[in-house]
Amino acid sequence: MSNMTLLANAILGLMAAGAASAAATPTHFKPTLTDTFIYDLDNVPIPAPVVTSKYGVKVNAHVYVVDGQEHTAQQIANYHANGKKVICYFSAGSWEPERPDALNLSPECYCGKGVSYNKRTGECTGKNANQNKLDGWDEWYLDLHNPSCISQVKAWQNKRIQSFIAKGCDGIDPDNVDEFANTQAFGVTAQDEVNYLMWLSQTAKKGNLAIDLKNAPSLLVDDNGNPTQWQKQLIEAFDFSVIEQCHEGDNCDQFDAFLAAGKPQIQVEYNGDGYEMTKCPSLEDGQHLLVYNTPDLDSTLISLECSD
């Protein structure tokens, strides 16, 4: 065999190896404007391929948003076998006592300095125990302002994200990323929140995961309706948006930049407390609306599904 033949065979071998490697590398999933969604954090597993609510609404959605820590790799694989993409939810901005990894974070980073806590459960107790607690929820905001806590929080959340990758999740749904706009004693600012969000986006993309921006409209549009200094980088960094109660609050347009960038929206409305949505509103391409009959993300309670 000639040297030229050997060289040609070597080149072909390298090309084949490169192609095989590229084929084995998962691609970054990005929802499109035509995708439909189901959002259920209360049931494990969710029926597939069709979810039927107790109100007779049948949803055959392409993308499932589920609780990432509660689901197993086998359950996620079953969703995939039924043609679904899976976005794994976790609370990126708060500490929840019932999570299996709850005790792996220092209480100082959610209770605050000098605040006592229950050594068995990790829950904040005594004086100032509720200064960082979410209104209406048994969970506490994370300290995203103090550098030592930021380092701890990132390491803690990175382990979660890596576990989602190992389970086969196609994306992540980080909740409670509007701490800066709520009552907390850490002094978390909008810039602190954006810094953390950009880290979440970078971490997701390293793992070829899709990632959404949930709520936090004031990071996109200021009080005068103008784009904020962060709007462009956030739209570039996130693949879609999740918006709660924007029809009730009449602020859906604050997320228009996502649609303009070709990125879809999951809109969620909760009936109750004198508010009820019974008919589909006018929607644009890329907007998918789910109405729940109580303030719970439980697909059996979906009373209305709407798309453009």
Side-chain angles (χ1 to χ4, degrees):
M1 186 179 294
S2 70
N3 288 338
M4 290 298 294
T5 301
L6 289 170
L7 179 60
N9 287 339
I11 292 172
L12 288 172
L14 288 171
M15 290 175 64
S21 176
T25 301
T27 57
H28 175 202
F29 168 60
K30 295 182 180 181
T32 69
L33 294 178
T34 60
D35 279 324
T36 54
F37 302 82
I38 195 80
Y39 205 129
D40 190 329
L41 304 183
D42 292 337
N43 297 299
V44 182
I46 303 167
V50 179
V51 171
T52 303
S53 80
K54 61 178 62 177
Y55 302 100
V57 179
K58 295 182 182 293
V59 184
N60 186 0
H62 178 225
V63 182
Y64 275 29
V65 183
V66 303
D67 191 302
Q69 289 183 287
E70 292 294 324
H71 275 74
T72 66
Q74 183 177 3
Q75 290 164 338
I76 291 171
N78 181 60
Y79 295 148
H80 286 154
N82 280 277
K84 313 300 182 183
K85 292 292 186 180
V86 184
I87 306 295
C88 287
Y89 168 95
F90 69 110
S91 183
S94 74
W95 179 89
E96 304 163 287
E98 74 277 9
R99 295 298 181 177
D101 59 354
L103 298 181
N104 295 340
L105 184 67
S106 169
E108 182 178 291
C109 294
Y110 56 89
C111 292
K113 289 184 178 181
V115 178
S116 59
Y117 64 96
N118 185 311
K119 292 186 179 180
R120 181 179 61 84
T121 66
E123 294 179 79
C124 313
T125 59
K127 185 179 180 181
N128 296 324
N130 295 331
Q131 64 182 348
N132 299 306
K133 194 172 184 180
L134 278 69
D135 185 27
W137 297 94
D138 188 24
E139 52 192 280
W140 285 259
Y141 284 118
L142 302 175
D143 186 348
L144 303 179
H145 187 69
N146 183 289
S148 64
C149 280
I150 293 171
S151 179
Q152 278 196 56
V153 167
K154 286 181 177 180
W156 184 58
Q157 298 289 28
N158 184 57
K159 286 183 180 180
R160 287 180 171 180
I161 294 170
Q162 297 311 311
S163 76
F164 299 152
I165 293 171
K167 288 181 179 182
C169 301
D170 301 292
I172 55 174
D173 170 41
D175 197 7
N176 298 310
V177 294
D178 54 359
E179 176 180 353
F180 69 98
N182 290 280
T183 301
Q184 39 83 25
F186 295 125
V188 174
T189 66
Q191 186 62 63
D192 290 331
E193 200 81 59
V194 170
N195 293 343
Y196 182 55
L197 283 165
M198 294 305 295
W199 173 82
L200 285 169
S201 173
Q202 292 160 7
T203 304
K205 290 181 178 180
K206 285 179 183 177
N208 292 308
L209 298 173
I211 184 171
D212 65 76
L213 178 66
K214 187 172 183 180
N215 299 322
S218 60
L219 291 180
L220 300 173
V221 179
D222 66 23
D223 292 341
N224 297 316
N226 298 315
T228 65
Q229 61 182 304
W230 309 291
Q231 186 191 93
K232 183 179 179 181
Q233 69 180 124
L234 289 172
I235 297 300
E236 290 176 351
F238 289 82
D239 300 301
F240 62 109
S241 58
V242 175
I243 315 163
E244 294 176 293
Q245 298 297 92
C246 76
H247 290 279
E248 182 182 15
D250 193 26
N251 68 333
C252 298
D253 60 342
Q254 291 180 291
F255 298 86
D256 282 353
F258 272 97
L259 296 181
K263 299 182 177 185
Q265 298 174 352
I266 307 176
Q267 298 180 352
V268 176
E269 297 287 315
Y270 306 105
N271 287 336
D273 294 327
Y275 173 76
E276 186 175 19
M277 178 177 280
T278 58
K279 295 181 180 180
C280 289
S282 176
L283 298 174
E284 298 182 40
D285 290 347
Q287 292 179 322
H288 186 73
L289 170 64
L290 296 167
V291 180
Y292 296 76
N293 225 33
T294 70
D296 297 292
L297 282 166
D298 179 338
S299 60
T300 67
L301 300 175
I302 293 173
S303 56
L304 193 65
E305 180 201 16
C306 310
S307 294
D308 61 283

